[in-house]
Amino acid sequence: MFSELLQPPKPVLTRWGTLLKVVDYYAINFDSVKEVLDTFDSNSAKSIQISKTLLEKIDIRRDLAYISSNFTFHSLKITQLQSKASPISETLALIQETEEKLKATKGTTALAISAKLQNPIDKNSGLKIIKLISKIIDGEPEEITGIILEFEPSRISAFKFAPLTTVVAERSFSIHEYLLSDRRRNLTVQNLEMELIVHFELNIND
C-alpha cells in the first residue's frame, strides 16, 4: 500500500524550516497517510489512537491547507538565507520578499506573523546600516552617513558576502562541544586555534 510514499520528514523544534516541511508533506499526502493509519489497530498503541482522532478533525484539513498555501515557502527562504556564499544584496532581497508576501497574506494568523517579523526588523539599527552598505557596494547613488563615514572603503567592500544570520555561530557550538570533551586532557592554544579553523573550513565547504 502506497509503496511510493516517502516517510514523513523529522522536524527539529529549533529549526522552523523543518516544521514547515512537515506541514507540506501532510498537506500533499494527507489522505494517503490517513488511509495507511486506518489499517492500524487502535488498541495496539496510544499514539495510534491519538493520531486517528487528530486526522478525523475537520480543522486539521483547513489549517494544513492555509499554512501550506501561505507559509511553507518560508522553508526555502530560510535555507537560502543560510547560504554561505550569497552577497548581502541577495540576502536582503530575500528578507524583503518575505516581508511583502506576509503583508499580502490574508487572515489574523498572517497579520500576527507579519507583525512578529516586522517588529525586530524595525528595531534592528544594524540592518539599516547593512542596507546602506549593500547599496554602496551595488553602485547605487547613496549618500554616506552616520557610522559608515568612519569605515574605510576596503572595510565597506568586505561586507559584500557578510552573513546576515547567526547560523555559522550556532553551528560552531557543536564544534566547541566536540573540542571541549572530557577525553581531551591537553590542548594548547595553538592546536585549539588550528582545530577551529579546520572545522570552520569543512563547514564552509559542505
Side-chain angles (χ1 to χ4, degrees):
M1 179 183 286
F2 302 109
S3 58
E4 74 284 357
L5 188 64
L6 299 175
Q7 289 189 350
K10 294 182 179 180
V12 179
L13 294 180
T14 55
R15 296 183 179 179
W16 291 8
T18 62
L19 296 172
L20 292 171
K21 287 179 180 178
V22 172
V23 171
D24 239 357
Y25 174 88
Y26 284 107
I28 294 170
N29 302 296
F30 185 87
D31 289 333
S32 300
V33 171
K34 187 176 183 300
E35 190 172 337
V36 171
L37 193 61
D38 286 341
T39 63
F40 296 166
D41 183 3
S42 299
N43 297 318
S44 61
K46 187 69 175 177
S47 58
I48 295 176
Q49 293 179 21
I50 295 172
S51 297
K52 285 186 175 183
T53 301
L54 288 173
L55 293 185
E56 289 297 334
K57 291 185 175 182
I58 298 175
D59 290 355
I60 197 168
R61 287 181 179 269
R62 180 197 64 200
D63 293 344
L64 282 173
Y66 178 68
I67 297 171
S68 180
S69 299
N70 298 294
F71 303 113
T72 52
F73 76 91
H74 284 297
S75 176
L76 176 60
K77 298 302 178 188
I78 290 171
T79 301
Q80 291 173 331
L81 282 171
Q82 294 173 354
S83 174
K84 305 183 184 80
S86 296
I88 57 173
S89 57
E90 290 184 9
T91 305
L92 290 171
L94 287 171
I95 296 173
Q96 184 176 351
E97 182 183 350
T98 301
E99 288 181 71
E100 292 172 353
K101 280 191 175 183
L102 281 176
K103 288 177 180 177
T105 303
K106 300 184 182 300
T108 55
T109 301
L111 288 173
I113 294 174
S114 181
K116 191 174 182 64
L117 172 67
Q118 199 63 46
N119 187 46
I121 287 177
D122 291 341
K123 292 180 178 179
N124 193 333
S125 58
L127 185 60
K128 294 180 177 66
I129 295 172
I130 287 293
K131 287 180 178 179
L132 180 55
I133 289 174
S134 178
K135 289 181 179 179
I136 294 170
I137 290 174
D138 288 346
E140 296 183 26
E142 192 71 26
E143 183 181 353
I144 299 179
T145 59
I147 193 173
I148 300 181
L149 287 170
E150 303 174 12
F151 291 1
E152 293 182 356
S154 60
R155 188 176 177 188
I156 295 175
S157 64
F159 277 88
K160 184 170 184 177
F161 294 96
L164 300 190
T165 67
T166 59
V167 173
V168 174
E170 290 170 4
R171 285 175 178 167
S172 69
F173 296 156
S174 59
I175 298 174
H176 297 158
E177 185 178 4
Y178 167 76
L179 293 175
L180 298 175
S181 169
D182 292 336
R183 293 174 295 177
R184 294 185 183 276
R185 301 290 182 179
N186 187 17
L187 188 64
T188 65
V189 174
Q190 291 78 12
N191 286 341
L192 175 61
E193 182 181 358
M194 287 189 286
E195 283 270 14
L196 288 172
I197 291 173
V198 168
H199 282 284
F200 181 79
E201 289 294 334
L202 287 173
N203 197 22
I204 284 293
N205 294 319
D206 279 349

